[in-house]
Amino acid sequence: QVQLQLGGAGLLKPSETLSLTCAVYGGSLSGYFWNWIRQPPGKGLEWIGQMNHSGSTNYNPSLKSRVTMSIDRSKNQFSLKLTSVTAADTAVYYCAREVGSLRGDVSWFDPWGQGTLVSVS
Amino acid sequence: DIQMTQSPSSLSASVGDRVTITCRARQNITNSLNWYQQNAGEAPKLLIYAASSLQSGVPSRFSGSGSGTDFTLTISSLQPEDFATFYCQQSYNTPRTFGQGTKVEIK
């Protein structure tokens, strides 16, 4: 059973760079898109972007200019960097695997990491 | 971006009630619609994928239906562990987008 474990700094100052990693246990990075999703306190879910094991990425246009994702195959983990953070970036950040149907016409997020609160102040 | 709109935003219900939550997409997303349950302080958990397929391990009281632009999540008999927030999410294209959530509270 695949499990995702988040790591990274939880308290940042404005203009700093957010850096998070998500380690994948019990499965391979290959064959999936790996996603970052965030949730401001008391609010809904916002998709940040995704990356597959080959390095292909899709980013949310609202964050694209500040986001970089990467994959480390040797450590079986993927990472998120978000530059120039402000208080608006305060949120619980989740990582999640995107699973697709065999036909490739539908996909869904499963499993999710436990989430980590990143505060900018 | 494909806007997803859930209704209601919140509801109060009793144990044993039948509960229905709707999700509307601003454009046709075929069956590329998923439902998640989020308990307070926890990560979301997949309930339904591809509009109507029940995720393994999820109780059969949960069901999903719909296609195109209109979708429904139904809980046939609400249980105490179902008091949570539910989100729909489209995977038709990127950026992936979520509904604003429906909070199910105890009546």
Side-chain angles (χ1 to χ4, degrees):
Chain A
Q1 184 174 347
V2 173
Q3 293 186 325
L4 307 182
Q5 183 71 40
L6 270 157
L11 183 59
L12 297 172
K13 293 180 171 56
S15 80
E16 291 184 334
T17 295
L18 178 157
S19 293
L20 296 174
T21 60
C22 185
V24 179
Y25 296 99
S28 170
L29 291 172
S30 299
Y32 302 98
F33 271 92
W34 300 91
N35 294 259
W36 292 97
I37 297 157
R38 69 181 184 179
Q39 185 173 36
K43 297 189 178 181
L45 298 161
E46 179 183 30
W47 180 78
I48 300 170
Q50 63 183 190
M51 185 173 198
N52 71 2
H53 70 286
S54 301
S56 295
T57 57
N58 296 297
Y59 295 150
N60 193 321
S62 67
L63 297 167
K64 186 175 183 177
S65 64
R66 299 194 290 130
V67 170
T68 303
M69 295 181 184
S70 60
I71 278 191
D72 186 334
R73 296 172 194 79
S74 67
K75 294 182 179 179
N76 217 41
Q77 67 183 32
F78 58 105
S79 300
L80 168 70
K81 288 190 185 301
L82 181 67
T83 61
S84 304
V85 298
T86 69
D89 296 310
T90 293
V92 174
Y93 285 74
Y94 296 101
C95 54
R97 183 182 67 173
E98 187 170 59
V99 180
S101 66
L102 290 176
R103 293 194 305 180
D105 56 344
V106 292
S107 60
W108 51 92
F109 298 131
D110 183 69
W112 295 58
Q114 81 279 16
T116 190
L117 176 62
V118 175
S119 297
V120 180
S121 177
Chain B
D1 300 11
I2 299 177
Q3 182 178 346
M4 307 299 294
T5 303
Q6 287 181 234
S7 62
S9 295
S10 65
L11 65 90
S12 296
S14 301
V15 172
D17 284 352
R18 182 181 183 88
V19 169
T20 298
I21 300 169
T22 64
C23 178
R24 175 164 289 176
R26 193 160 61 177
Q27 67 178 72
N28 184 353
I29 59 170
T30 63
N31 67 331
S32 300
L33 190 284
N34 309 310
W35 291 97
Y36 302 87
Q37 175 180 359
Q38 186 176 35
N39 296 316
E42 298 182 2
K45 181 186 80 166
L46 178 69
L47 294 176
I48 302 285
Y49 62 93
S52 60
S53 295
L54 190 68
Q55 170 69 347
S56 176
V58 174
S60 59
R61 63 181 179 273
F62 291 94
S63 64
S65 63
S67 67
T69 61
D70 293 316
F71 302 87
T72 300
L73 173 70
T74 300
I75 310 172
S76 60
S77 178
L78 199 65
Q79 298 301 300
E81 59 268 32
D82 301 338
F83 292 95
T85 301
F86 295 85
Y87 293 93
C88 63
Q89 174 249 329
Q90 65 81 17
S91 61
Y92 186 77
N93 63 13
T94 59
R96 306 295 192 226
T97 48
F98 293 85
Q100 80 278 18
T102 296
K103 187 173 184 178
V104 176
E105 299 175 304
I106 301 173
K107 192 171 188 179

